[in-house]
C-alpha cells in the first residue's frame, strides 16, 4: 500500500512528525518565536514580540551575547582549573608535614618507650641491689648472733651435764672408791662456774628501710613533657628596628610574634625558628635567637660589611609574613656614630606587606650580642686574624694556598661549610648552597664533585657537614632534608639515617668504633648512630647548662674516643664521653686568648690538642687537651671572614672553610 504523502504546510496532525525540530533559540516567552536579540539589562533573550517590552533597554545580537557568555565561562573555567596545581602543591606540602608529624610521633613514642624501659631497668637493678644489700647486712648480723648462741648452748650443755653427774654422785653412798670421781667433778664444777660466756647480745636487731619516695613520685608525676605550639608561618610577623635600621658592626634586633591559623597570638614558646642574613649568592651572617617563652622571639645579628642583604625568617622551615626582607646596610662615620646611628632601609619583599614597627629594647636588655664591638670602633681583620701570640708555645704557621671563588662551577663555592680530610690524601668540602660535595687533593687539585639538588633520598638540599668513615664511605649532614646521607667514595648513594629523628643536622664525625656522630643544630642534641642507622644514644638539650647547647655546630673525636662539640651561641667548647657525660668545658664570650665569639669548626691533632675556628672573631685558636689556650694560627696574609668547618689533612696541615670569602684555605700547622 502506497504511503500517503502530505505537503509540508499541511495542518494535519499526522504531519507534525516530519517537521524540523524546534529552534534552540526559541523565545522563552513566546512559543514558536525565534529569539535573535539579548537584553543586557534583564539578561534574557528577546524575540520580535518582546522588543516592545524592552524598548529602552540596551540590546545586543543574541549570537554576540552567547559568545560573550561562553568566553566568560571559559575564563572562569581556566581560573578554577588554575587553582588545581596550587591545591595539589598544598596537598603535597600538608601531606609531607603530616608525614613528618607522624614520624615525629613515632620517634617520640619510641623515645618514651625506651626511656621508661630504661627507668624500669634501673628500678629493677636498684631493687636487686637493695635486696642483695639486705641479705648481706642480715647475714653479717645473723652470723654474729648465731655464733653467740652456739657458744651459750655449748656452755649450757656442759654445765647441765656436769651438774647431773654431780647430783648422781651425791645420791650414792660416800666411800673411798668414789672419792676420785667426786674430786674431778668438783674441779669441773669450779671451772664451769667461772666460765666466761657471752651473755650480753653481741649484735642488734636493727634492719630498717629508708625509701625517700615522695620526691621520686613527684618527679615521676612530672616526668616528660610533650612540647609543641600552634604557631604557623603564614600568620606570624616580624617587627623591630632590625627591619628598618642597622649599622655595620653593630647589633640589630628583630622581634618575631608567632600566631596560630586564626591570627591569634601564641602564648607559649618552643617554636622552631631559623633566621639568616645572606647575600644573593649565599649565607653570610648568623645571629642569636632568644625564646622569651611567651610566643615572641628575638633575633639579634650583626652585619660586618656594607652591601645588599636579605633577612630570611622561617618558622618550621616556612617563611613568615614578608620574609625574606631586603636590607641595604650602610657604614656610619665616627662622628655619626657618636651622634646617632645611620639608617638601613628595609623593604618588604611582598608588595602588600605592612611596614613593620617596634624597638630594640630586647637587644638593650640583653647587652652584648655576638660580634658586637665598642661604639665607633672599626673591625681590623688583621688584628682579629693574627692576635698577639703566647710566646711560651709559638706556632709559626702560614697560608700555603687557598682554593675557590664565588660561583657554581667546579672549584667555586657558594656558602661552603663542612670540611673533612681522608687518610688517602683527600679534602672534602660541603658546598652548601650549591647542593654538592667537592673533593680535592691535599695539594688543592680538583678531583671530583657529586650531588643533585632535591628532597628525595640520594639528593642534597643543604649539605652542611661532611665526614669520611674508615670504610671510605662519605657521610653528609643535610640540614634542610633533616637526615644524614651516606655515599660511596665515588659519590654513589647508599643509605640515609636519622630521618624522622633529626631536626637540623649541622656537623658529622666518626668515632673510633665507626659510629656516626651527628650534631643536630636545631634540636640542640648530639646523636650517635651505627652505620646501619640504629640509634645508639643521644644527649643534650637546649639551654646554657653544662650539658646543654645553644646552636651546636661541629664535632671532633680525640684518641680517648671523647666527643668535642662547639657550642655556638654559648661561646664554648664541650667534651663528652661517648655516653654523654661532660668531661670538660672551656671558653667564654669575648675576643681575648681562649675566648670565643661563636665557635664553629673543630679538629684534634695527634697530640690531643684542640683546634677551633672562632667564627665571630675570624680566627683559629689552638688549645691543649685540658682546654688551656696555646696559640693562634697565623692568618694575617689573607684574613679569614667567618670560618666554619675545619679539619687536619693527612699530611698534617689545617684546612678551613673560609665561608665569607667563598674559598677554603690550607695552613701549615707545626707543633
Amino acid at each position: 500500500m502506497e504511503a500517503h504523502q502530505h505537503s509540508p504546510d499541511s495542518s494535519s496532525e499526522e504531519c507534525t512528525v516530519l517537521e524540523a525540530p524546534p529552534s534552540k533559540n526559541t523565545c522563552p516567552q513566546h512559543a514558536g518565536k525565534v529569539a535573535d536579540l539579548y537584553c543586557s539589562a534583564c539578561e534574557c533573550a528577546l524575540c520580535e514580540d518582546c522588543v516592545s517590552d524592552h524598548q529602552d533597554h540596551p540590546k545586543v545580537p543574541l549570537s554576540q551575547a552567547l559568545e560573550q557568555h561562553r568566553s566568560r565561562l571559559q575564563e572562569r573555567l581556566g581560573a578554577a582549573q588554575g587553582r588545581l596545581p596550587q591545591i595539589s602543591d598544598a596537598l603535597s606540602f600538608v601531606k609531607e608535614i603530616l608525614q613528618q608529624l607522624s614520624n615525629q610521633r613515632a620517634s617520640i613514642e619510641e623515645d618514651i618507650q625506651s626511656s621508661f624501659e630504661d627507668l624500669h631497668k634501673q628500678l629493677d637493678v636498684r631493687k636487686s641491689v637493695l635486696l642483695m644489700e639486705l641479705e648481706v647486712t642480715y647475714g653479717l648480723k645473723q652470723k654474729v648472733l648465731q655464733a653467740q648462741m652456739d657458744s651459750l648452748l655449748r656452755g649450757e650443755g656442759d654445765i647441765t651435764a656436769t651438774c647431773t653427774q654431780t647430783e648422781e654422785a651425791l645420791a650414792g653412798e660416800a666411800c673411798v672408791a668414789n672419792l676420785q670421781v667426786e674430786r674431778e667433778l668438783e674441779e669441773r664444777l669450779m671451772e664451769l662456774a667461772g666460765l666466761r660466756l657471752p651473755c650480753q647480745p653481741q649484735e642488734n636487731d636493727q634492719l630498717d628501710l629508708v625509701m625517700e619516695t615522695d620526691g621520686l613520685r613527684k618527679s615521676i608525676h612530672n616526668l616528660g613533657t610533650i612540647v609543641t605550639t600552634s604557631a604557623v608561618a603564614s600568620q606570624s610577623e616580624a617587627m623591630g628596628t632590625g627591619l628598618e635600621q642597622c649599622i655595620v658592626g653593630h647589633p640589630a634586633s628583630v622581634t618575631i610574634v608567632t600566631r596560630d591559623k586564626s591570627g591569634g597570638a601564641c602564648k607559649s614558646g618552643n617554636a622552631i625558628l631559623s633566621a639568616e642574613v645572606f647575600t644573593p649568592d649565599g649565607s653570610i651572617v648568623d645571629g642569636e635567637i632568644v625564646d622569651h617563652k611567651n610566643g615572641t622571639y628575638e633575633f639579634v645579628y650583626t652585619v660586618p660589611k656594607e652591601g645588599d642583604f636579605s633577612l630570611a625568617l622561617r618558622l618550621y622551615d616556612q617563611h613568615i609574613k614578608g620574609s625574606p626582607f631586603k636590607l641595604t646596610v650602610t657604614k656610619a662615620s665616627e662622628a655619626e656614630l657618636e651622634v646617632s646611628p645611620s639608617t638601613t632601609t628595609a623593604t618588604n619583599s611582598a608588595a602588600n606587606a605592612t611596614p613593620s614597627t617596634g624597638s630594640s629594647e630586647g637587644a638593650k636588655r640583653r647587652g652584648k650580642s655576638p660580634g658586637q664591638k665598642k661604639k665607633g670602633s672599626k673591625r681590623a681583620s688583621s688584628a682579629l686574624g693574627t692576635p698577639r701570640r703566647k710566646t711560651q708555645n709559638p706556632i709559626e704557621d702560614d697560608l700555603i694556598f687557598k682554593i675557590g671563588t664565588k660561583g657554581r662551577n667546579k672549584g667555586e663555592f657558594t656558602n661552603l661549610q663542612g670540611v673533612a680530610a681522608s687518610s688517602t690524601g683527600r679534602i672534602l668540602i660541603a658546598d652548601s648552597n650549591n647542593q654538592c660535595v667537592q673533593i680535592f687533593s691535599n695539594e688543592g687539585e680538583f678531583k671530583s664533585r657529586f650531588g643533585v639538588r632535591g628532597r628525595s633520598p640520594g639528593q642534597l638540599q643543604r649539605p652542611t657537614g661532611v665526614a669520611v668513615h674508615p670504610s671510605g664511605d662519605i657521610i653528609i649532614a643535610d640540614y634542610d632534608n633533616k637526615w644524614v646521607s651516606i655515599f660511596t667514595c665515588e659519590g654513589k648513594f647508599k643509605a640515609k639515617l636519622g630521618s624522622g629523628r633529626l631536626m637540623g643536622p649541622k656537623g658529622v664525625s666518626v668515632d673510633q668504633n665507626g659510629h656516626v656522630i651527628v650534631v643536630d643544630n636545631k634540636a640542640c642534641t648530639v646523636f650517635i648512630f651505627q652505620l646501619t642507622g640504629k640509634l645508639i644514644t643521644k644527649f643534650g638539650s637546649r639551654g646554657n647548662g653544662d650539658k646543654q647547647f645553644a646552636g651546636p655546630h661541629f664535632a671532633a673525636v680525640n684518641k680517648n674516643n671523647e666527643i668535642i662539640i662547639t657550642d655556638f651561641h654559648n661561646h664554648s667548647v664541650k667534651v663528652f664521653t661517648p655516653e654523654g657525660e661532660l668531661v670538660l668545658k672551656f671558653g667564654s664570650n669575648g675576643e681575648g686568648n681562649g675566648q670565643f665569639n661563636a665557635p664553629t669548626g673543630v679538629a684534634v691533632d695527634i697530640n690531643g690538642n684542640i683546634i677551633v675556628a672562632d667564627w665571630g672573631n675570624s680566627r683559629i685558636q689552638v688549645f691543649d687537651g685540658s682546654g688551656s689556650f696555646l696559640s693562634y694560627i697565623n692568618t694575617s696574609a689573607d684574613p679569614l671572614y667567618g670560618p666554619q668547618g675545619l679539619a687536619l689533612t693527612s699530611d698534617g696541615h689545617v684546612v678551613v672553610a673560609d665561608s665569607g670569602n667563598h674559598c677554603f684555605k690550607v695552613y701549615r700547622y707545626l707543633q
Side-chain angles (χ1 to χ4, degrees), residues 464-490:
T464 52
V466 60
V468 180
H469 194 270
S471 65
D473 288 339
I474 299 171
I475 301 166
I476 302 172
D478 195 329
Y479 191 91
D480 282 355
N481 277 333
K482 302 178 184 179
W483 63 55
V484 172
S485 295
I486 302 172
F487 294 82
T488 66
C489 58
E490 293 84 17

Side-chain angles (χ1 to χ4, degrees), residues 324-538:
F325 302 90
K326 295 179 180 178
L327 302 175
T328 302
V329 183
T330 59
K331 187 175 182 180
S333 66
E334 297 286 342
E336 288 174 326
L337 285 172
E338 292 299 328
V339 177
S340 63
S342 61
T343 60
T344 296
T345 61
T347 57
N348 196 318
S349 62
N352 60 352
T354 304
S356 59
T357 60
S359 69
S360 58
E361 288 302 311
K364 292 178 182 177
R365 287 196 304 270
R366 287 179 39 246
K368 186 172 181 180
S369 302
Q372 182 177 350
K373 309 297 178 187
K374 293 181 180 179
K375 194 171 185 179
S377 65
K378 295 182 178 180
R379 176 175 180 170
S381 298
S382 60
L384 289 174
T386 313
R388 182 173 55 84
R389 299 186 200 160
K390 197 171 181 179
T391 57
Q392 297 95 302
N393 189 11
I395 300 177
E396 299 299 335
D397 298 314
D398 297 300
L399 177 67
I400 302 174
F401 63 84
K402 68 175 183 178
I403 299 292
T405 56
K406 183 171 61 177
R408 299 189 177 276
N409 298 316
K410 297 176 181 179
E412 297 177 340
F413 305 99
T414 309
N415 189 26
L416 67 169
Q417 296 201 27
V419 174
S422 73
S423 59
T424 57
R426 294 289 185 265
I427 296 172
L428 294 85
I429 306 293
D431 192 358
S432 182
N433 286 25
N434 286 335
Q435 292 87 27
C436 70
V437 169
Q438 300 199 46
I439 303 176
F440 300 81
S441 70
N442 280 355
E443 295 72 36
E445 179 186 355
F446 176 82
K447 292 297 182 183
S448 64
R449 76 172 181 176
F450 64 91
V452 176
R453 180 179 182 177
R455 296 188 177 273
S456 300
Q459 297 177 324
L460 300 175
Q461 189 65 23
R462 190 180 177 189
T464 52
V466 60
V468 180
H469 194 270
S471 65
D473 288 339
I474 299 171
I475 301 166
I476 302 172
D478 195 329
Y479 191 91
D480 282 355
N481 277 333
K482 302 178 184 179
W483 63 55
V484 172
S485 295
I486 302 172
F487 294 82
T488 66
C489 58
E490 293 84 17
K492 182 179 179 181
F493 177 70
K494 292 181 67 175
K496 67 175 182 176
L497 56 86
S499 180
R501 292 183 180 272
L502 302 174
M503 297 172 64
K506 175 80 173 184
V508 286
S509 187
V510 180
D511 69 11
Q512 294 177 5
N513 298 318
H515 297 151
V516 179
I517 299 165
V518 183
V519 181
D520 194 326
N521 176 268
K522 274 192 177 180
C524 292
T525 302
V526 176
F527 291 82
I528 303 179
F529 295 94
Q530 291 181 353
L531 202 58
T532 59
K534 180 181 179 181
L535 178 65
I536 298 173
T537 189
K538 65 178 182 178

